[in-house]
Amino acid sequence: MSDFYSNEFIEKINLFCSKNNTTQPIFSYDLNRTHNNNVVLLQKETGFTLSLKMELQDETLLITNFGFVDNKQLEAKSLAIYDAATIEMMMQGLDILFHMGEDLDVDGVKLVLDKEEVACLSSFTCFFHLLPYQGHKVAMLLPLGQAAYDNFVHKTEHIHTKIQHALWQRQKEDQFLKNYLQKRQTNQLFLMNTPEPEDCSVFVGENILAFPCKNSKEKHI
């Protein structure tokens, strides 16, 4: 893999994302370059990470790993926060791919991933073109350009608004969520050492947004 980006490049992408994010995120993020030339997106409040292994292939940015690591302790404490964090993490990851592709001046971003990795993107397949299978891997192309990015921003803003509305509704039944929304501090890992609230039930009414992921049990927000 060619070392085509530096720590300065990562800092530039971080700056681009913070300036161009028209929707105020629920969580805060940091993007870092690792020793093996992967880039890792960290969701600071939850500890969730998204690892991206990439290389340049002709005029395309090739992603060969889209490794999402969540926090099952948070899932047990508040499924509503867990689902919101997972969905926003995927949107933030795609936003970074758009910015990286633009800065590298490539024609598109090609993802060649295991089925388990693709499952975490199944709610966002509308942004991709499905390509022929490459062995046992699923191949998808994320088109770039202003029109593609405008479509991404429009649709993800709509999703983000639904997430925010759902969270504020569910705090009535989820005391853990209520505590976070009213007392949250950005850039700090939360909920890990907080005592269990008296009522930790989660609202399970009409689905607002389904998010299938690698976990076998279905999650809804």
Side-chain angles (χ1 to χ4, degrees), residues 66 112-123 125 138-140 212:
F66 197 86
V112 180
L113 307 173
D114 294 328
K115 292 181 180 180
E116 293 79 8
E117 295 173 304
V118 174
C120 285
L121 289 168
S122 58
S123 291
T125 54
V138 179
M140 303 185 299

Side-chain angles (χ1 to χ4, degrees), residues 179-215:
N179 289 342
Y180 170 64
L181 292 177
Q182 294 183 354
K183 303 176 182 179
R184 63 177 176 166
Q185 294 180 321
T186 58
N187 300 310
Q188 296 184 16
L189 192 66
F190 71 98
L191 299 180
M192 299 306 103
N193 299 313
T194 306
E196 293 288 346
E198 294 181 2
D199 181 9
C200 202
S201 60
V202 177
F203 177 70
V204 289
E206 181 181 0
N207 295 335
I208 295 179
L209 179 66
F211 187 81
C213 196
K214 61 185 177 181
N215 196 317

Side-chain angles (χ1 to χ4, degrees), residues 17-25 95 149 153-154 156-157:
C17 291
S18 64
K19 284 187 175 180
N20 287 279
N21 199 327
T22 56
T23 301
Q24 182 64 37
D95 197 21
Y149 187 65
V153 170
H154 174 74
T156 53
E157 281 182 346

Side-chain angles (χ1 to χ4, degrees), residues 2 33 54 61 63 117 129 131 138-139 153 175 187 216:
S2 59
R33 178 173 177 259
M54 58 188 70
L61 179 62
I63 309 298
E117 295 173 304
H129 297 320
L131 302 175
V138 179
V153 170
Q175 186 63 39
N187 300 310
S216 60

Side-chain angles (χ1 to χ4, degrees), residues 1 14 16-17 28-29 32 40-41 56 64 72 83 88 96 101 104 108 120 132 140 152 156 164 190 203 208 216 219:
M1 173 181 171
N14 265 322
F16 280 171
C17 291
S28 53
Y29 298 88
N32 295 287
V40 177
L41 177 66
L56 285 176
T64 56
K72 297 306 179 185
D83 282 346
E88 190 178 272
I96 286 171
L104 293 168
C120 285
M140 303 185 299
F152 170 78
T156 53
Q164 291 178 319
F190 71 98
F203 177 70
I208 295 179
S216 60
K219 302 180 180 64

Side-chain angles (χ1 to χ4, degrees), residues 35-102:
H35 67 280
N36 57 359
N37 287 326
N38 288 1
V39 294
V40 177
L41 177 66
L42 169 67
Q43 194 174 66
K44 295 181 181 180
E45 293 84 1
T46 66
F48 289 9
T49 60
L50 179 62
S51 178
L52 304 172
K53 184 177 182 180
M54 58 188 70
E55 60 185 271
L56 285 176
Q57 187 182 75
D58 299 325
E59 297 300 319
T60 302
L61 179 62
L62 176 63
I63 309 298
T64 56
N65 177 263
F66 197 86
F68 175 58
V69 178
D70 57 12
N71 189 316
K72 297 306 179 185
Q73 187 179 359
L74 175 58
E75 182 182 19
K77 289 178 179 292
S78 176
L79 185 58
I81 299 178
Y82 176 91
D83 282 346
T86 302
I87 296 169
E88 190 178 272
M89 189 74 160
M90 295 301 108
M91 294 193 295
Q92 192 75 8
L94 292 179
D95 197 21
I96 286 171
L97 292 183
F98 272 107
H99 286 297
M100 282 189 165
E102 178 184 355

